[in-house]
Amino acid sequence: QMTVAESGGGSVQAGGSLRLSCSRSGWMENVNCIAWFRQRPGEEREEVAAISPQARSTYYVDSVKGRFAISQDIDRNIIYLQLNSLKLEDSATYYCAAGQFICAGRWRSGPNYSVWGQGTQVTVSS
C-alpha cells in the first residue's frame, strides 16, 4: 500500500517562497496523477496543482499559475510544489494526493484520489 507524506510548510511573509515536498513510500499500481490540494479553515478543499508522473504534464488552478510550480524527482519518489510570490490568501493546509487515473480532465476532483497525506501548514503573513 502506498502512502504519501507532506513536508516543507512553515510561516513566511507575503512575497516569500516555500517548497513543499510530497514523499511517496510503498507501492500502488498505475499511479498516474499526483496533486496538491489546500484547505483554509472553514472553507472547502480546493485543487492547486497536479502532475502526471509518466507524461510529466502539469496542471494548475488559475490563482496560482505563474507563482507555483509542481515538479518531481523520480529517483527519490518526491513531488515538489514550489510556492513563490506568496499571498495572504495562500495560507492553508496543503495536502498531497495520489490517484490511479489520468490527470487530464479529472485532476481537480478530490474524490478521484485514493491516497492522501496528513497535510502541511503554510502561513503567509503581511
Side-chain angles (χ1 to χ4, degrees), residues 53-65:
Q54 289 73 31
R56 303 186 183 183
S57 301
T58 57
Y59 307 83
Y60 298 94
V61 68
D62 286 348
S63 61
V64 307
K65 284 181 180 177

Side-chain angles (χ1 to χ4, degrees), residues 5-25:
E6 306 90 342
S7 61
S11 297
V12 64
Q13 288 192 320
S17 298
L18 284 173
R19 189 176 76 164
L20 307 184
S21 298
C22 172
S23 300
R24 300 165 58 184
S25 60

Side-chain angles (χ1 to χ4, degrees), residues 3-4 12 14 17 51 55 72 81 97 100 105 117:
T3 61
V4 295
V12 64
S17 298
I51 187 167
Q72 61 178 344
L81 185 67
Q100 298 170 288

Side-chain angles (χ1 to χ4, degrees), residues 1 42 45 62 71 73 99 126:
Q1 180 67 33
R45 180 181 59 201
D62 286 348
S71 62
D73 183 328
S126 59

